[in-house]
Amino acid sequence: MPYQPDPSRPLILTPAGPAPAPAYRAPAAPRPRRPLPRNPYLRLFALPGTRAFTAGNLLARLPSGMFGVSTILLVSGAYDSYALAGAVSAAGLAAGAVTAPWIARLVDRHGQARVAVPATVWAVLGQLVLLLCAHGRAPVWTLFAAAVLGATAPNVGGMARARWAHLLKGDPGALHTANSFEQAADELGFMLGPVLAAFLCSALFPEAGALVGSAFFLAGVLLFAAQRTTEPPAAPRTSGGSPLRAPGMPGLLAVFLATGAVFGSMEVVTLAYVDGPAAGPVLALQAAGSCAAGLVHGRARRSAPLAACLAAMTLLMTLPLLAARTGSLLALAGALLLAGAATAPTMVTGMGLVQRLTPPGRLNEGMTLAVTALLAGIATGSAIGGHLADHAPTPLYGYLAPPLAAALALLLCATTGRSRRAHALNPS
């Protein structure tokens, strides 16, 4: 049958001769974009790569509540001395307060993965050396040496907050939600870590808590560091100077120091007041209250001024004192749950101010300085709370320390006035 050209398709010239033009095909309609979820937390984790680095972040943060309890149980069991165990734990904490800002500065300059992985490997090796020394009942000085030399753990929470700040630049509402989530993750680690460590050390063997904690920490940091697409760029040279020189930062760090004393004194006083196996679960309720409050706080698109958060903390920290006067353990548990509700909003607001005051390219260092001040306050509050528990007429008087420390933090905040100005510049 001879070729019959299609009149609807014109002829075009090809190397083989005239041929019909290709049939026209309408472009495919674009696929409708999925609407963003209404839940602010679901919107956070809709961003590419955020779920993976958050999984590593959570796994690496769990040992933060395990190492202290594991060290105390391990050393006290091997040497029959809680005083020695507390001193070894304090030595590691003091060494970490010195090395943490330096490590954070290296992270800012050279990148998270390049610095965090070797620092974590060294810290895990230090934990293993401490474990072997305690297991073999080595001379006491080796315990302190291992605790000090292994104090190179990077601030994973600070690195996670830096990633969120990089990903959510220009969206303060979403960054507020991310900071609230990170504070809830902190509280989750301090809530579950001690319980898990105590269970492992008592149900298996004394070294189990340190071993499992080290494995979690190393695996979490490796998974976190492997997510290179969400890692903020390194800043080898910055013109902003040290975060300590930023206007308002010294006063804000003093507020963090006093706030840490609230937490440290509350922990020791509660352990002394309850004095039994129920002390751990009762104390965990404070972290549970803070975790829940942090998640609720993150759903709001703005944060209250730091002074208002500290005023609420001062008021709520009086509840355990009132509950302890009744002699009811159930009332004390409820009071700690309510008192913990003030923790996360205060810390989220404070960390937000640190992010705004820290020069560009020094974010990890600035947040690590805040954590260092907080840890120093916790150590100071623990010492004050322990002194009151031992020398006051009754352990009940120890519950005076947390509200007084919160009132001091409020006074320091009001004196500097920096939080009001920073909040006015960026109220979200």
Side-chain angles (χ1 to χ4, degrees), residues 22 25 37 42 78 84-85 97 186 201 226 234 253-254 273 307 322 331 359 364 382 427:
R25 293 183 179 179
L42 294 181
L84 176 61
D186 281 337
C201 292
L253 293 180
Y273 181 83
L322 299 176
N364 282 293
S382 298

Side-chain angles (χ1 to χ4, degrees), residues 116-169:
V117 172
T120 299
V121 171
W122 187 267
V124 168
L125 289 176
Q127 281 289 323
L128 296 179
V129 170
L130 176 61
L131 183 153
L132 293 174
C133 291
H135 180 76
R137 293 183 59 84
V140 169
W141 68 267
T142 61
L143 303 177
F144 289 95
V148 170
L149 293 177
T152 61
N155 180 13
V156 182
M159 292 191 297
R161 289 179 172 93
R163 290 196 180 212
W164 288 119
H166 169 64
L167 294 173
L168 303 173
K169 188 179 300 182

Side-chain angles (χ1 to χ4, degrees), residues 317-343:
M317 286 299 163
T318 62
L319 295 180
L321 172 64
L322 299 176
R325 295 186 62 183
T326 66
S328 170
L329 186 60
L330 186 61
L332 178 61
L336 287 172
L337 183 67
L338 292 175
T343 300

Side-chain angles (χ1 to χ4, degrees), residues 30-321:
R31 294 182 178 181
R33 297 181 61 182
R34 292 183 178 180
L36 290 175
R38 297 183 63 182
N39 188 298
Y41 292 105
L42 294 181
R43 286 200 298 270
L44 284 182
F45 297 114
L47 297 175
T50 54
R51 296 181 183 181
F53 90 71
T54 299
N57 171 30
L58 293 176
L59 186 60
R61 303 256 284 272
L62 182 60
S64 61
M66 296 179 65
F67 284 138
V69 173
S70 299
T71 299
I72 291 176
L73 293 178
L74 175 64
V75 175
S76 63
Y79 293 84
D80 195 25
S81 172
Y82 277 97
L84 176 61
V88 172
S89 180
L93 183 65
V98 175
T99 60
W102 174 68
I103 294 172
R105 184 178 303 174
L106 292 178
V107 168
D108 284 328
R109 290 181 178 178
H110 304 289
Q112 294 183 354
R114 188 176 178 183
V115 175
V117 172
T120 299
V121 171
W122 187 267
V124 168
L125 289 176
Q127 281 289 323
L128 296 179
V129 170
L130 176 61
L131 183 153
L132 293 174
C133 291
H135 180 76
R137 293 183 59 84
V140 169
W141 68 267
T142 61
L143 303 177
F144 289 95
V148 170
L149 293 177
T152 61
N155 180 13
V156 182
M159 292 191 297
R161 289 179 172 93
R163 290 196 180 212
W164 288 119
H166 169 64
L167 294 173
L168 303 173
K169 188 179 300 182
D171 190 349
L175 183 58
H176 166 75
T177 301
N179 286 336
S180 299
F181 172 80
E182 291 301 324
Q183 185 59 39
D186 281 337
E187 302 300 339
L188 186 65
F190 284 110
M191 182 174 59
L192 298 180
V195 177
L196 178 59
F199 171 77
L200 292 171
C201 292
S202 58
L204 300 180
F205 47 90
E207 298 83 5
L211 285 174
V212 173
S214 298
F216 282 171
F217 188 48
L218 180 59
V221 171
L222 289 177
L223 177 59
F224 179 88
Q227 314 310 313
R228 304 301 293 268
T229 58
T230 56
E231 181 178 351
R237 295 181 180 180
T238 57
S239 58
S242 172
L244 281 174
R245 300 177 182 176
M249 183 65 80
L252 187 57
L253 293 180
V255 173
F256 272 94
L257 183 70
T259 305
V262 177
F263 309 145
S265 58
M266 182 67 78
E267 179 178 5
V268 173
V269 169
T270 300
L271 290 173
Y273 181 83
V274 178
D275 191 23
V282 168
L283 192 59
L285 287 174
Q286 183 182 358
S290 179
C291 181
L295 294 176
V296 172
H297 184 65
R299 294 181 67 90
R301 301 298 289 180
R302 57 188 297 121
S303 177
L306 181 59
C309 294
L310 290 171
M313 174 179 281
T314 303
L315 180 63
L316 290 176
M317 286 299 163
T318 62
L319 295 180
L321 172 64

